[in-house]
Every structure is written in C-alpha cells, then in structure tokens.
C-alpha cells in the first residue's frame, strides 16, 4: 500500500514538473505549431494556421481569456511579471586571475596553458602524449589556422628547420597570412548567420552584404581588438558615424532572414528585433535569452522583463541599403559600367512602362498600401508630420520593399479581377496587357544586368532620430498583447549595472550603451565565451562544451581555472585574437600526437582532459578548399562579391543559381561562394556546412553514404583529380614510385609507406587492365591527367588508371581528417 502511495506521489510530482516546464498544449496543436520560432500563443490552436501570413492575433485565440485577465490584474496593480535577481551562477561571477598550478613534469610545460591542462592529468595519474611528428603538426596547424592543407614545400621547410624557434616562426607565418583572416571569418560568419540572400519565399539577393564578410576578414587580419570588433558590429553607426567601415560592421545585425512580402510590418519589426536580440544573447554572452521571450526562463534567472528590456536596445533600429560606397574600386566601376549598358539598352522600354504607370500611379500607390494589414496601414496612411518612431520604421520599411513592380500589381490585380474590382475597365485590361508585354521584352536584356557587385553599402541605423518606439513585455511573446512598458536594461541575473545611455541628435544611444557593457573587461561572460569558442576551434570541444550556452542547462567548464586564465589573459593582452591563437598554437597540449592510447580510452573515454590530441573531420569548406589547393586550382583572390561555382545539372535552382562565367571565380575559396538560404551549395551542404537561418555555434559532423558519393561522382571533384594527377606527373616525373610519394606529400604531408606503395601499384596494374578492356569494347571514355607540361607523351590507358587512383586517394578518410 505504501509503495502504491509513493508511486502515485511520484507520478503527481512528475506531472507537476512537466506542467511547470510547458504551457498547456492541446493535442491537436502539436502538428501545426512551430514551438521554437512562434509565439506561445500558437500552441493550443484548434486548427492548423498559416504561421507566415496570419495575424498573430488570430493565432492562439484560446489564450485570449488568460491574457484579458492578466491585463486586468496589471491595471489594478495586483500583478507584475516576475523580476529576476542577480544569480550566483559560475558564469556570472567576475573573471578571476588564477595562478599557474604547480605540476610535477615541468619540462612538458611550454606556456601557462599547459600547466592548467597537466595539473588535471596528473591529478588522475595520467601523462600527456608525446609530440606529433613535425609533418603531421604543420598539416594540423595549417588546417586550423588557414583552413587548407600546406604545400609539400612548406612541410619540408618546417621539418628541416633546426632553429630553436622553428615552431614560433611557423605560428607567426600562419597568423600573418591573409588566409588566417579568411579562416577565422568563416567561423565568425557562422555565428553572424551570414547569407547573401534574405530567405523565405522569394529569397531576394542582398547585393551589399559581401562587404560585411570582407569587413570580418580584414578585422581578423588586422588583429582588431575583440572589444572594438564587438562595438563596431553592435553600434558602429552610433560610435563612429563618419567611419564607413563601422557602418558596414553593423551588417552583423542586418543578416537576419527576411520576408520582403510580409504584409504585417509591425509583426515584421518584432520578428527582426527578436532575431537580433536572440543572436546577440547567444553569440556574445552564450545566453539562451530567447527562452525568456514567451515566459520566464525555466532554468536561468532571466525573466520576460529581462528579455524585452534587452530587446528594447534595438527598438529604433532600421536596415538601410542605399548608403553610397565612400571608395570606388574595380568592383564599383565594373558594376556601374554594366548597369549603364543595361540602362541604355532598356531605357525606351522602361520609359514606356513608366508612362503607363503614371496614368494610374495614385491609385496604384493606394492599392499597394492597402495590401498591408491594419496595424501597418495605421502608420502608412498617417501624415508624415504626425509620424512617431514606430511610424518612421514602418514607412521606411515600406519604401525599402517597394518598387515599380509593386505598383504594377495594381494593373495586374485589377485586370485579373474579371470585373470584381471597382477599378476594373477595358482600359485597365489593355494597359496591363501593354505593361506585361513590355516586361517580357525587358527580360530579354537580363544578361546585360550586373550579376554581382554594387555601389552601395548596407547598414543598420536609427534613421537620424534619437527617439525610440516604446517597448513592452508581451504576453506569451505575442506582440499584439502588450503588458507593462520596459526600458533598456541589462539582464538582472548577470549584473546590477545600469546602462549609460547618451542619445545623440541622430540616434538613441541605446546600442552604444549595450555594446560598451558587452565589450567591457568587467563583463563576466564576453571574454570567457570568446576564448572558449577559439579553444573549441582547435580541440573540437570547448572547455564549456555548450559553447553558446553558459547557463544552468549548459555544461559546466571541464577546467574552470584554464577558462579564466585564458579569458583574463585575453583581456590583459588588449583583446588580441592573434595572441590568443598564438598561445594555443605554441602550447604543448596542441603539439601532442593523436595516436590512440588504451590507458586514456579507459581513464578518460571522451578525452576531456586532452591527454591525446583529438582527431577531427574537416569542415565542408576545408575539404573543398584543400582539394583545390591539391589540384593547383585555388584562386587566392581576397574579398569581393560572392561567386557561383558549378552545381549539378539536376539541382533545378533556375535564376537563383547562375554559374559565374569566369573560371577563376569558380575556383575561389568556399568562403566566397554565394550563400543562398534556399539553395545551399550542394557539395558543402553534404558535409554539414552551417545553416544561415540562425547563429550556428558548432558544426555538425554526420557520416553518410552521400558524402562519399558526392566526392566520387562529382564532375567538378573528378576534374580536380585530373588536375592533381597532372600536377603529380609534372612534379615527380615518370617514375611511378616517385609519383605515389608526391601524391601522398601533397595530400597527407608524408610519403607513402612501402606497403601502401605495393597496394597502390597492384591497384594501378589491375585497374589498367579494366580500363583497357572497357575501352576496347567501346564502353568507356578515358579521362587523362590535365595540365601536363612539355607535351609529355603518356599511355592514355595507364594515365586514365592513374587519374582514378588519384581520385580514390583524394576521397580517403586520411584526407578529410585532421590528426
């Protein structure tokens, strides 16, 4: 009987916990609701709804009664959203300056990092691994610092360097190369949810955002202090309004996915501001603040009030895409020249279209404005001299997404109404027919349009006004259900500090205050979060494994003293990112071999203590770029508009993916491939490229047959294999043993072993027979090495077999892993 009572109590307790962690959900709502991206009000809807086009007020009508009661209580002064108090959580405590721990094996310690690692190992009775051989080390370090494999010559120079400071010279060479900035930019762009398009249905191109990508590359190459890097991206327009680089930096906030067709501009503003708030919380502070949008955070002391107080820092923010570029280089001049050709060729067609629209322009503008929902129309139809801060945002947004095509919709809609529209007439039908015919003629000149580049920059600004729209706590995260008004404030669980907001004649000053707090050396999270991300980059696991969650639901640091040493030292070294990377590259823990050790597998199966260097599968971009390096095809051009390399013929992306005509553009680093949200580049997507839909904290690593098939069957990859085969023959001569050694030196930074050579020679002999048989039967077209010098005469059958051998070796695990 007692046991039954206990079980009942357990069941009740379990049920209570579940209810405490979730809003009541109607069973029929599970399939219809997006629990991660939509207001809690959607949960419990009685039928599926169109979450993209339906007003939020329609969604979750079952919550209306509760909302009404809450509003009534608030008005009566009886209820306020709970306010968080400062938390005692480890991540919110000030960064300490831990002393270097005492260790037994002092000879292993190359810098303080090693002492913190070794102290943990010795406490468990473990010893670190010996050093990796130099060839393996330079391959590892080059892949980590540059994102590509080293050349055989670079390997040879390092292996044969007998100087006492050989490792220091290598680290300095890696960090001083522009390739370092490109590699680090790729990591940061993951966090910035960078894309060259908006996403959603039309996935519009963002022609200017490549400038933000280049800003990130240059910032890392210049070793811009991380504190300045933060301030520029969050408030460059407020802090340095006359510095165009600082304006471009605000592109960090402009990377939000966007639906240009949205007819609810009030909701769109809320969704954009929400995206920015969530991203800032996750990336700079490693806080899951988004969990507090709909309800108080279930684990951390972050309340709804905290969330919307944080969001209010961005309340006056608008995207501006037409700021003239201060400097004009080849990109801008080429764009202007191409645009001028198109404009000259189409001026008569466009003039005729304008003439038609001008006859109905007033009605067309009215029609276009009336397509927006009620809340939006309230601002849209308000006289300009009566606009408040919210109205300015709405009308600026309207102008941003409107063009002549928007007005032409009046003709189309009226003509297609079959008489149901009050403006319908034969004259309108004729005008639409004329306009549509001209539009078809205009398409014939699309090839003349500039395919890339721009003469403008995109930034986030406050449109030259200091006043901001009011911010509220929203019931259930629903922007149509405001509760109490809030002002900008930092999360109270993290700090007692109040924002020092200083408005200017052109901006509210809110983001400057936020950026200064985040970039402050007193902020307990910022330095810790960033050094942990860099550690994860090198060791595949952060000291805090949940790199974007330093909250209670995240993991605790495996070595808190090391984390604080790195963070404290990072600040003391002037927030220098390069110095942080250099310290890690020169540490003994990074220099270790990655060979398997049975004792470590038993004592520390997850290798959290780092007694063995962790092996790691290369990221998608590292695989593609290293194949380009190996084949001798990589174009080293830095920066500029994004490019479109070839894709499989059956991709079916149409105008969304028009392959770059310049072959050099097709062979640029993956960093420069156009990131279209709706059409990811297939080869990179297969190997787990970052999703641009939100801040991407850590690359997934999946293993699937599609990866092998993608490398094996890709015409592009096979072409690189042909070029690599040609390179090997050019550099090694006709001796096949020397060719195999050279192939391995290029791909693996080592020579082939005797057993490998024997095996490969057998493969070559057997495959030659197969190729010869198939070609004699007319069933096989041989593919020989490309790029051969001096008109070398080869047996085409043997050469084709060698291409297949090269292609096979390039597809091996050893190539796509870093050891």
């Amino acid at each position: 009987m007692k046991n039954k009572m206990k079980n009942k109590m357990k069941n009740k307790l379990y049920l209570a916990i579940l209810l405490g962690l979730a809003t009541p959900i109607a069973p029929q709502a599970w399939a219809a609701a997006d629990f991660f991206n939509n207001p809690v009000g959607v949960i419990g809807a009685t039928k599926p709804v169109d979450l993209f086009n339906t007003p939020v007020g329609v969604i979750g009508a079952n919550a209306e009664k509760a909302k009404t009661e809450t509003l009534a209580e608030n008005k009566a002064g009886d209820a306020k959203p709970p306010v968080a108090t400062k938390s005692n959580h480890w991540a919110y405590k000030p960064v300490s300056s831990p002393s270097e721990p005492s260790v037994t094996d002092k000879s292993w310690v190359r810098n303080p990092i090693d002492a913190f690692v070794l102290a943990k190992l010795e406490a468990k009775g473990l010893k670190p691994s010996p050093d990796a051989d130099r060839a393996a080390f330079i391959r590892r370090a080059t892949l980590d610092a540059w994102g590509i494999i080293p050349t055989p010559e670079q390997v040879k120079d390092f292996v044969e360097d007998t100087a006492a400071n050989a490792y220091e010279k290598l680290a300095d060479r890696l960090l001083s190369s522009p390739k370092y900035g490109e590699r680090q930019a790729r990591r940061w762009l993951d966090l910035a949810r960078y894309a060259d398009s908006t996403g959603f249905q039309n996935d519009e191109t963002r022609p200017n955002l490549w400038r933000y990508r280049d800003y990130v590359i240059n910032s890392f190459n210049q070793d811009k202090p991380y504190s300045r890097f933060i301030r520029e991206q969050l408030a460059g327009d407020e802090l340095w309004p006359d510095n165009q680089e600082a304006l471009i930096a605000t592109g960090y906030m402009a990377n939000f996915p966007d639906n240009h067709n949205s007819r609810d501009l009030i909701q769109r503003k809320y969704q954009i501001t929400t995206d920015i708030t969530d991203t800032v919380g996750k990336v700079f502070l490693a806080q899951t603040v988004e969990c507090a949008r709909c309800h108080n955070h279930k684990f951390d002391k972050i309340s709804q009030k905290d969330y919307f107080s944080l969001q209010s820092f961005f309340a006056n923010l608008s995207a501006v895409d037409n700021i003239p570029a201060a400097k004009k280089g080849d990109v801008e001049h080429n764009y202007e020249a191409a645009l001028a050709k198109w404009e000259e060729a189409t001026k008569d067609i466009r003039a005729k279209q304008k003439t038609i629209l001008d006859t109905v322009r007033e009605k067309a503008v009215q029609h276009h404005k009336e397509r927006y929902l009620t809340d939006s129309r309230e601002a849209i139809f308000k006289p300009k001299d009566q606009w408040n801060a919210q109205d300015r945002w709405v009308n600026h947004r309207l102008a941003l997404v409107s063009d002549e095509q928007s007005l032409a919709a009046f003709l189309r809609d009226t003509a297609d109404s079959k008489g149901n529209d009050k403006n319908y007439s034969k004259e309108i039908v004729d005008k639409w027919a004329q306009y549509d015919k001209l539009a078809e003629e205009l398409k014939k000149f699309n090839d003349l349009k500039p395919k890339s580049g721009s003469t403008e920059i995109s930034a986030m600004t406050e449109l030259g006004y200091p006043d901001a729209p009011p911010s509220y706590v929203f019931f259930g995260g629903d922007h149509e259900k405001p509760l109490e008004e809030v002002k900008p404030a930092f999360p109270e669980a993290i700090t007692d500090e109040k924002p020092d907001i200083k408005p200017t004649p052109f901006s509210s000053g809110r983001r400057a205050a936020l950026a200064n707090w985040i970039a402050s050396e007193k902020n307990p999270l910022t330095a810790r979060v960033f050094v942990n991300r860099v550690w994860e980059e090198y060791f595949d696991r952060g000291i805090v494994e949940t790199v974007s969650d330093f909250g209670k639901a995240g993991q605790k640091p495996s070595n808190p003293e090391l984390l604080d040493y790195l963070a404290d030292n990072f600040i003391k070294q002037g927030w220098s990112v390069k110095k942080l990377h250099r310290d890690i590259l020169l540490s003994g823990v990074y220099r270790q071999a990655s060979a398997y050790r049975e004792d470590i597998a038993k004592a520390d199966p997850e290798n959290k203590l780092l007694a063995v260097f962790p092996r790691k599968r290369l990221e998608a971009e590292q695989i593609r770029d290293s194949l380009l390096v190996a084949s001798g095809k990589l174009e080293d051009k830095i920066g500029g508009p994004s490019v479109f390399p070839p894709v499989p013929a059956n991709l079916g992306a149409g105008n969304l993916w028009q392959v770059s005509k310049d072959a050099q553009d097709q062979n640029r680093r993956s960093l420069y491939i156009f990131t279209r949200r709706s059409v990811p580049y297939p080869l990179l997507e297969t190997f787990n490229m970052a999703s641009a839909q939100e801040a991407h904290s850590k690359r997934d690593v999946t293993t699937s047959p599609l990866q092998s098939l993608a490398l094996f069957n890709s015409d592009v990859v096979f072409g690189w294999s042909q070029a690599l085969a040609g390179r090997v023959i050019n550099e090694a001569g006709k001796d096949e043993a020397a060719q195999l050694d050279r192939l391995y030196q290029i791909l693996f930074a080592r020579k082939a072993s005797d057993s490998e050579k024997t095996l490969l020679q057998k493969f070559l002999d057997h495959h030659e027979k197969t190729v010869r048989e198939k070609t004699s039967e007319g069933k096989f077209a041989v593919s020989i090495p490309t790029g051969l010098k001096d008109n070398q005469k080869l047996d085409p059958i043997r050469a084709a077999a060698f291409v297949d051998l090269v292609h096979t070796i390039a597809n091996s695990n050893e190539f796509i892993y870093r050891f």
Side-chain angles (χ1 to χ4, degrees):
M1 188 69 180
K2 287 183 178 179
N3 288 337
K4 286 185 178 180
M5 289 293 290
K6 284 182 180 179
N7 288 336
K8 283 184 178 180
M9 291 179 69
K10 284 182 181 178
N11 290 339
K12 286 183 178 180
L13 179 60
Y14 180 64
L15 182 60
I17 292 171
L18 285 178
L19 291 174
L21 293 177
T23 303
I25 302 173
Q28 66 270 28
W30 285 97
D34 177 350
F35 302 137
F36 295 96
N37 300 310
N38 290 288
V40 170
V42 71
I43 300 172
T46 56
K47 61 181 180 179
V49 293
D50 181 348
L51 303 181
F52 292 100
N53 301 308
T54 304
V56 175
V58 176
I59 301 170
N62 292 348
E64 186 63 34
K65 182 179 178 182
K67 178 254 181 178
T68 304
E69 292 171 352
T70 304
L71 287 173
E73 290 172 353
N74 271 350
K75 288 178 181 178
D78 296 330
K80 296 281 185 182
V83 176
T85 55
K86 195 169 189 311
S87 169
N88 198 37
H89 185 55
W90 69 265
Y92 305 153
K93 294 178 180 177
V95 174
S96 64
S97 301
S99 300
E100 184 176 328
S102 177
V103 295
T104 302
D105 185 9
K106 292 182 173 58
S107 64
W108 187 76
V109 176
R110 291 188 168 94
N111 64 30
I113 290 173
D114 297 330
F116 288 98
V117 172
L118 187 57
K120 293 285 186 183
L121 289 173
E122 290 184 342
K124 295 286 187 180
L126 303 174
K127 293 183 178 181
S129 294
D131 288 355
D133 70 75
R134 283 198 173 193
F137 180 83
I138 186 175
R139 187 178 191 271
R140 171 195 302 174
T142 307
L143 279 164
D144 282 344
W146 286 2
I148 54 175
I149 55 174
T151 65
E153 292 70 31
Q154 290 167 342
V155 175
K156 183 175 183 292
D157 288 345
F158 177 64
V159 169
E160 296 178 355
D161 190 346
T162 59
N165 65 340
Y167 282 86
E168 286 79 3
K169 287 192 293 182
L170 172 62
D172 291 339
R173 179 175 66 81
L174 293 174
L175 297 175
S176 63
S177 168
K179 293 181 176 65
Y180 159 79
E182 291 177 314
R183 167 64 179 156
Q184 299 313 311
R186 180 61 272 168
R187 302 284 298 195
W188 186 259
L189 295 176
D190 285 7
L191 296 169
R193 74 263 190 252
Y194 171 83
D196 295 293
S197 70
T198 60
F200 288 89
Q201 299 99 317
N202 292 338
D203 204 9
E204 305 276 352
T205 292
R206 283 172 161 161
N208 304 330
L209 271 189
W210 59 269
R211 299 183 190 276
Y212 170 74
R213 180 245 290 143
D214 287 0
Y215 157 83
V216 175
I217 296 170
N218 293 333
S219 294
F220 281 113
N221 278 330
Q222 296 162 3
D223 198 23
K224 181 174 290 180
Y226 184 60
S227 54
R228 169 87 182 211
F229 189 55
I230 293 171
R231 290 184 171 99
E232 287 180 346
Q233 291 179 91
L234 295 183
D237 60 307
E238 289 190 329
L239 294 169
W240 300 280
D242 297 325
N243 183 331
Q244 190 150 104
E245 184 180 79
L247 292 178
I248 292 171
T250 63
Y252 172 82
M253 297 177 288
N255 277 302
F256 52 85
D258 194 12
N259 181 9
H260 276 212
N261 285 339
S262 174
R263 298 301 173 189
D264 188 342
L265 300 186
I266 303 297
Q267 182 190 53
R268 190 87 283 269
K269 181 181 189 303
Y270 174 53
Q271 290 171 337
I272 290 171
T273 313
T274 294
D275 173 272
I276 295 171
T277 305
D278 297 352
T279 302
V280 168
K282 181 183 297 182
V283 172
F284 295 111
L285 305 173
Q287 297 297 295
T288 55
V289 296
E290 65 270 22
C291 295
R293 175 161 61 98
C294 305
H295 49 70
N296 291 343
H297 203 294
K298 298 300 183 182
F299 301 103
D300 300 321
K301 289 187 176 180
I302 300 175
S303 67
Q304 265 194 295
K305 182 176 181 180
D306 282 329
Y307 178 84
F308 287 104
S309 296
L310 183 62
Q311 193 182 85
S312 68
F313 282 103
F314 307 103
N316 202 36
L317 196 59
S318 289
V320 181
D321 292 330
N322 61 350
I323 302 172
K327 298 178 182 179
K328 289 186 179 180
D330 290 344
V331 169
E332 290 74 23
H333 290 310
N334 291 340
Y335 177 86
E336 286 178 330
L339 182 62
K341 287 181 180 178
W342 178 82
E343 288 178 339
E344 178 63 26
T346 62
K347 65 180 181 180
D348 290 341
I349 297 174
R350 291 182 293 110
K352 290 176 182 176
Q353 285 185 314
K354 182 178 182 301
T355 299
I356 294 172
L357 276 182
D358 282 347
T359 64
V360 296
R361 188 167 294 274
E362 186 175 339
K363 290 182 178 179
V365 169
Q366 180 81 6
H367 174 79
H368 179 58
K369 290 181 177 182
E370 287 177 347
R371 297 178 70 190
Y372 289 87
L373 300 188
T374 305
D375 287 353
S376 305
R377 291 203 302 269
E378 185 177 329
I380 289 170
F381 286 104
K382 186 183 293 186
K384 187 173 182 179
D385 60 1
Q386 296 178 23
W387 287 355
N388 57 30
Q390 181 93 332
D391 299 330
R392 280 198 304 273
W393 192 97
V394 170
N395 282 281
H396 172 74
R397 168 72 183 196
L398 177 65
L400 190 69
V401 300
S402 300
D403 55 18
E404 291 289 275
Q405 285 298 106
S406 306
L407 302 186
F410 166 74
L411 291 173
R412 182 197 63 216
D413 295 345
T414 307
D416 290 347
S417 72
K418 307 298 183 185
N420 292 324
D421 189 288
K422 64 180 181 181
N423 293 305
Y424 179 84
S425 67
K426 184 179 182 305
E427 183 182 7
I428 290 290
V429 172
D430 291 342
K431 285 181 178 180
W432 169 241
Q434 294 171 35
Y435 190 94
D436 193 38
K437 183 179 179 181
L438 290 168
E440 290 301 314
E441 288 183 31
L442 196 61
K443 290 178 183 178
K444 297 175 183 177
F445 297 90
N446 280 349
D447 285 345
L448 292 180
K449 274 187 176 181
K451 294 298 184 292
S452 64
S454 67
T455 56
E456 298 168 327
I457 70 169
S458 292
M460 298 292 281
T461 79
E462 302 197 7
L463 303 181
Y465 292 85
D467 60 320
S471 296
Y472 301 92
V473 174
F474 292 128
F475 177 83
D478 185 339
H479 77 283
E480 293 188 336
K481 298 169 182 171
L483 299 175
E484 67 168 308
E485 185 174 351
V486 293
K487 300 294 183 182
F490 309 134
E492 295 187 18
I494 301 174
T495 182
D496 296 327
E497 187 178 341
K498 306 301 179 186
D500 181 18
I501 298 174
K502 297 174 181 175
T504 70
F506 59 86
S507 203
S508 68
R510 293 181 175 192
R511 285 173 293 109
L514 177 65
N516 286 332
W517 172 68
I518 291 177
S520 167
E521 62 183 37
K522 295 179 181 179
N523 190 302
L525 289 163
T526 309
R528 279 182 177 134
V529 170
F530 186 74
V531 300
N532 187 63
R533 292 192 191 281
V534 174
W535 188 267
E536 184 269 336
E537 178 181 339
Y538 282 99
F539 295 101
D540 199 33
R541 186 196 300 268
I543 300 170
V544 178
E545 192 169 349
T546 48
V547 291
S548 288
D549 187 0
F550 274 36
K552 288 183 178 179
Q555 297 291 315
K556 291 182 178 179
S558 58
N559 196 328
E561 296 81 10
L562 173 58
L563 181 65
D564 271 19
Y565 165 76
L566 290 170
D568 180 60
N569 195 49
F570 182 46
I571 294 170
K572 287 177 178 175
Q573 293 193 109
W575 301 85
S576 169
V577 179
K578 281 192 177 182
K579 287 179 181 178
L580 171 63
H581 280 266
R582 190 176 191 273
D583 286 345
I584 294 175
L585 282 167
L586 295 177
S587 66
V589 64
Y590 183 73
R591 201 179 294 188
Q592 292 179 106
S594 63
Y596 175 81
R597 286 173 54 187
E598 186 67 30
D599 60 330
I600 300 302
K602 290 180 179 179
D604 181 22
E606 295 185 72
N607 196 29
K608 289 185 176 182
L609 300 179
L610 292 175
V612 174
F613 188 79
R615 301 181 178 191
K616 181 182 179 183
R617 211 228 16 231
L618 301 185
E619 292 167 11
E621 295 86 351
Q622 290 175 305
I623 294 171
R624 177 181 176 274
D625 295 352
S626 293
L627 283 170
L628 280 167
V629 169
S631 67
K633 293 282 191 180
L634 182 67
E635 292 293 335
D636 276 339
K637 179 182 176 183
I638 299 171
S642 297
V643 298
F644 293 87
V647 292
N650 62 355
L651 183 64
N655 292 334
L656 293 179
W657 198 278
Q658 298 184 24
V659 176
S660 299
K661 294 181 179 179
D662 190 335
Q664 292 181 327
D665 282 346
Q666 297 176 17
N667 291 330
R668 296 191 63 195
R669 288 195 70 161
S670 302
L671 175 68
Y672 302 112
I673 292 178
F674 194 99
T675 303
R676 190 171 291 286
R677 283 189 161 101
S678 63
V679 188
Y681 182 58
L683 183 60
L684 297 183
E685 185 182 31
T686 302
F687 284 95
N688 310 116
M689 68 180 286
S691 167
Q693 295 305 110
E694 60 179 351
H696 197 106
S697 303
K698 181 177 172 62
R699 292 293 181 93
D700 298 323
V701 179
T702 62
T703 303
S704 74
L706 291 178
Q707 293 163 348
S708 296
L709 292 170
L711 291 178
F712 195 76
N713 293 325
S714 168
D715 291 338
V716 172
V717 175
F718 187 74
W720 295 337
S721 297
Q722 288 178 277
L724 174 55
R727 175 188 174 185
V728 168
I729 294 171
N730 287 335
E731 296 176 1
K734 294 184 177 181
D735 180 82
E736 289 185 344
Q739 290 174 2
L740 295 177
D741 274 339
R742 191 58 177 175
L743 176 62
Y744 269 55
Q745 287 172 335
I746 292 170
L747 295 178
F748 308 141
R750 67 177 180 85
K751 290 184 177 181
S753 67
D754 290 341
S755 61
E756 287 170 330
K757 286 182 182 178
T758 301
L759 182 64
L760 294 174
Q761 201 71 51
K762 287 181 179 178
F763 171 88
L764 198 56
D765 293 341
H766 181 270
H767 195 56
E768 180 190 358
K769 293 179 181 178
T770 303
V771 175
R772 205 172 290 280
E773 288 172 4
K774 289 187 176 181
T775 53
S776 65
E777 296 169 1
K779 298 179 179 178
F780 195 77
V782 297
S783 298
I784 62 173
T786 57
L788 293 173
K789 297 179 180 178
D790 304 325
N791 297 317
Q792 297 187 50
K793 294 182 179 179
L794 302 173
D795 176 354
I797 304 300
R798 186 74 173 180
F802 184 65
V803 168
D804 287 342
L805 180 145
V806 168
H807 190 45
T808 301
I809 299 301
N811 287 340
S812 66
N813 260 1
E814 186 171 354
F815 178 72
I816 65 169
Y817 271 80
R818 181 220 63 182
F819 298 91

